[in-house]
Amino acid sequence: ILASRADLTSRKILTISRGPTFTPLADEPEYFKTEMHGWNRGLHRYAPAGINPPGCSQLCRTIESNPTSYRVSWEDRSPFIHTTKDGLGLLGTKGFRSARCNAPVREGKWYLEVKIVRGGGDRGPRDLGSEGSHVRLGWGRREAPLNGPVGLDGYSYGYRDKTGDKVTLSRPRPYGRPFASGDVIGMYISLPPRRQADIKDPADPARIKRERIPIDLRGQEVFEILEYPQNKEMEALMQFIKKSSNTTSVPSSATKKSALSKPERPAPVVRQTGPTLRPLPTLPDSCIAFFVNGECQGIAYENLYDYLQLRVHDTSRKVKEKKRTREGVKEHVNNPFDDGSLGYYPFISLFNSACVRINPGPDFDCPPPLDIDSVLRGNNRMEVEEDEKPNWRPICERYPEYMQEQWALDALEEEEGKVEGAKMAEVHKVEAEKKAQRQKKRQEAEARKAAKKAHLLAAEDDRFHIASISQPSPLRQSTVTPYLMDEGPEYSPTPNGLELVSEQNSEYGGETDPAGPYTRQSSPIPPDNFMHVDSVDSLIADTV
């Protein structure tokens, strides 16, 4: 993923994609294999992307790939469909494989031609089986698969070369004449004006919104897009068609009598437990018609299915958005809205070695009438005015129109990105200010805490100093141990007063202080022999 502009400094700013590399086929060198580009298959599709210049809010923008004209899409086709370098010649190599062109039809009346170079059962150099080469032509939506023929499901409408039948939902119906190699098939489609989105309805499928991620694919910048999925309503319709087309088996005549005698059990009632299916809307006044060598085959299909997505329930959409926001990583999500690529594409399906040549106009080999709708409805006017213009447009004019639509969406996303960037910058600024305020308050709180701690330590030191100064000397106790001279007599208390201690105790029997010639007595002394505390302190100091 191209995550930041720092990853793109060494890349060139392109206006035209590098495009694929062409490898010619050995047996038919006018057709080529294409490599070094993305293939729209499975869940994802790809579109060319170019790096935006510095200063833009978006990393990449939509660019073209050569040739810049209406043709088959390099990305939007099966790998088994080979092409010419101009993108107008197609060659098949396997069973039915398909290709779409590079711009859809979203409204209006459009026409193109397809020349059958090889088809109708003719054999090519690689057709070794019993079947030859066959072609089916028609119109298909984005959801139509590329690994099958047009008309496989309800997302496409086809016309068969072998029988001339029209095919949709895999059900062929009689329509026109068969066609074969050398025939020119005209393809006409008419769609009503595109419905505008309701600005008051945020879940309107007609809203324009693109979901794409720029990535590096084999050294090229491309947009990776999650392909529109097939909905369960169309799948249920296909299942209904298959069930209704199957015939019930006839019971054998050799049924046992015992089986006939048993009463038939009633069929169980099947209750629908799943979600209610949404209706499949159609486009009113829409139609598809085909021409063979300029001859109109009539209307093949009317009231086509709408190419917009079915409405998504608000609850499921909000859950997906919350999940995406919670994960915090840009990832692919199903887009319930129109990204500008929805519509009906010319859809070409080739079987075995069939090959065709697209003619997008404006010069056609078999030009159709100026007013195709009047011909389709049986109002064919023989007189034509000199300056009268056709009421349809050649499909070649659709490509530049489609690119202008994509570039307009690029400009809109750029403006929205700048507005969103300004909002994010303002949010980051507010968050930075709040963070700075929180940091300042935290520092002030830590400073107050440190000052309070220092004050408490200082007060503790002061109390300790005062206590050490005011603490009395160990000798200044209320009960003191007096010290007497050895020369004086030694007394001991008796019931009748003081009694002289024996000479033995005074000589060695008593407790003698080794530090001086004083004997410490444990008994009180008479008042006349009691020495004052200050005298004792001075005596001790002189001795030391």
Side-chain angles (χ1 to χ4, degrees):
I1 298 177
L2 301 179
S4 65
R5 194 170 298 278
D7 302 330
L8 313 177
T9 55
S10 61
R11 296 175 180 260
K12 294 182 180 180
I13 299 178
L14 302 176
T15 57
I16 301 294
S17 173
R18 297 181 183 90
T21 58
F22 295 91
T23 304
L25 300 180
D27 49 357
E28 295 185 85
E30 65 271 22
Y31 294 97
F32 297 84
K33 295 180 180 180
T34 57
E35 299 175 350
M36 301 301 292
H37 65 87
W39 296 97
N40 294 355
R41 66 177 82 180
L43 298 177
H44 300 96
R45 57 187 168 97
Y46 301 91
I51 300 172
N52 270 325
C56 296
S57 63
Q58 304 295 318
L59 288 178
C60 295
R61 68 190 187 283
T62 304
I63 62 174
E64 301 176 272
S65 58
N66 285 320
T68 57
S69 59
Y70 202 88
R71 51 171 172 79
V72 71
S73 173
W74 301 133
E75 300 84 11
D76 205 11
R77 60 189 172 90
S78 168
F80 298 103
I81 299 290
H82 304 315
T83 69
T84 55
K85 286 189 176 182
D86 59 3
L88 298 177
L90 303 179
L91 171 68
T93 55
K94 293 286 185 180
F96 267 121
R97 298 293 187 272
S98 301
R100 276 185 285 258
C101 290
N102 59 352
V105 171
R106 296 162 63 84
E107 60 182 352
K109 307 175 189 298
W110 301 88
Y111 186 85
L112 76 154
E113 285 183 348
V114 178
K115 184 176 181 179
I116 310 301
V117 179
R118 184 188 300 126
D122 293 345
R123 293 183 177 276
R126 290 180 300 275
D127 296 338
L128 303 178
S130 59
E131 288 287 339
S133 301
H134 292 281
V135 178
R136 291 189 188 184
L137 303 175
W139 300 84
R141 292 162 50 180
R142 285 239 55 90
E143 298 92 334
L146 297 174
N147 58 350
V150 59
L152 180 66
D153 48 32
Y155 297 105
S156 58
Y157 303 88
Y159 180 29
R160 299 175 65 183
D161 64 345
K162 185 176 181 179
T163 61
D165 292 341
K166 60 181 181 180
V167 185
T168 187
L169 290 167
S170 294
R171 300 186 71 178
R173 291 291 184 267
Y175 168 62
R177 52 166 284 192
F179 56 90
S181 302
D183 290 333
V184 176
I185 309 303
M187 299 169 54
Y188 173 74
I189 188 171
S190 175
L191 299 180
R194 184 169 61 89
R195 182 175 68 84
Q196 299 299 320
D198 185 1
I199 58 176
K200 297 181 181 180
D201 184 5
D204 190 350
R207 286 183 57 198
I208 301 294
K209 182 181 180 182
R210 295 195 295 194
E211 292 280 356
R212 57 185 191 174
I213 300 176
I215 66 170
D216 179 280
L217 183 64
R218 301 183 181 94
Q220 300 189 42
E221 302 83 25
V222 297
F223 287 112
E224 188 175 67
I225 309 165
L226 193 64
E227 187 59 279
Y228 286 101
Q230 297 185 358
N231 55 59
K232 59 180 179 296
E233 286 76 9
M234 188 64 75
E235 294 176 357
L237 180 60
M238 285 292 299
Q239 292 296 328
F240 175 78
I241 295 296
K242 289 180 180 179
K243 289 181 180 179
S244 62
S245 61
N246 293 334
T247 57
T248 57
S249 60
V250 180
S252 174
S253 59
T255 306
K256 295 182 179 180
K257 295 182 179 181
S258 59
L260 294 174
S261 62
K262 292 182 180 180
E264 184 178 356
R265 295 182 179 180
V269 179
V270 179
R271 296 181 179 180
Q272 183 178 355
T273 58
T276 304
L277 297 180
R278 299 162 291 182
L280 294 171
T282 58
L283 298 173
D285 301 327
S286 60
C287 69
I288 291 175
F290 298 93
F291 293 76
V292 178
N293 299 326
E295 180 184 353
C296 181
Q297 303 299 302
I299 296 177
Y301 306 98
E302 291 182 295
N303 297 325
L304 312 179
Y305 286 119
D306 194 350
Y307 53 79
L308 293 178
Q309 297 294 286
L310 298 181
R311 178 180 290 271
V312 177
H313 299 294
D314 293 340
T315 54
S316 61
R317 183 169 57 87
K318 290 179 180 179
V319 168
K320 291 180 180 179
E321 289 180 356
K322 287 182 179 179
K323 181 179 179 181
R324 184 183 184 187
T325 304
R326 182 172 61 251
E327 291 174 353
V329 179
K330 188 172 184 180
E331 61 179 6
H332 290 295
V333 294
N334 288 326
N335 186 5
F337 305 109
D338 182 9
D339 66 352
S341 68
L342 293 179
Y344 278 95
Y345 293 78
F347 207 90
I348 300 172
S349 303
L350 304 179
F351 183 81
N352 285 346
S353 297
C355 51
V356 298
R357 178 79 182 176
I358 302 173
N359 181 6
D363 300 325
F364 295 112
D365 296 336
C366 303
L370 298 179
D371 190 353
I372 297 179
D373 290 339
S374 63
V375 174
L376 294 176
R377 288 167 176 78
N379 301 325
N380 192 6
R381 296 181 296 116
M382 301 301 297
E383 297 180 359
V384 178
E385 297 181 4
E386 184 177 355
D387 57 348
E388 185 177 359
K389 294 182 180 180
N391 63 348
W392 48 266
R393 300 172 60 187
I395 200 71
C396 61
E397 296 179 1
R398 177 59 188 145
Y399 175 77
E401 185 178 274
Y402 175 69
M403 293 308 302
Q404 291 296 331
E405 294 171 1
Q406 294 299 306
W407 292 330
L409 292 178
D410 285 351
L412 181 61
E413 289 180 353
E414 180 66 22
E415 292 300 323
E416 292 177 350
K418 289 181 178 179
V419 173
E420 188 68 20
K423 291 181 180 179
M424 292 299 296
E426 186 66 23
V427 170
H428 291 330
K429 181 180 178 181
V430 173
E431 290 180 352
E433 292 177 354
K434 291 182 179 179
K435 184 178 180 180
Q437 291 177 0
R438 291 194 299 267
Q439 185 69 17
K440 183 179 179 181
K441 290 181 180 179
R442 189 180 299 110
Q443 292 176 355
E444 291 176 352
E446 291 178 354
R448 289 194 298 268
K449 185 177 180 181
K452 184 177 181 181
K453 184 176 181 181
H455 178 71
L456 293 176
L457 290 176
E460 187 69 21
D461 291 343
D462 292 343
R463 285 196 298 269
F464 179 76
H465 182 64
I466 293 172
S468 63
I469 294 175
S470 61
Q471 185 178 6
S473 173
L475 300 177
R476 296 182 180 180
Q477 302 295 333
S478 59
T479 302
V480 296
T481 303
Y483 291 84
L484 301 175
M485 296 289 187
D486 285 341
E487 291 81 357
E490 193 169 326
Y491 295 90
S492 62
T494 62
N496 298 323
L498 298 176
E499 186 176 86
L500 181 66
V501 182
S502 63
E503 291 295 335
Q504 181 180 357
N505 288 339
S506 63
E507 180 74 19
Y508 296 106
E511 186 178 354
T512 304
D513 190 350
Y518 306 103
T519 302
R520 186 169 57 232
Q521 301 294 333
S522 60
S523 58
I525 60 176
D528 54 351
N529 289 342
F530 182 74
M531 301 180 63
H532 196 270
V533 173
D534 294 337
S535 301
V536 174
D537 288 344
S538 61
L539 181 61
I540 292 174
D542 295 339
T543 306
V544 174

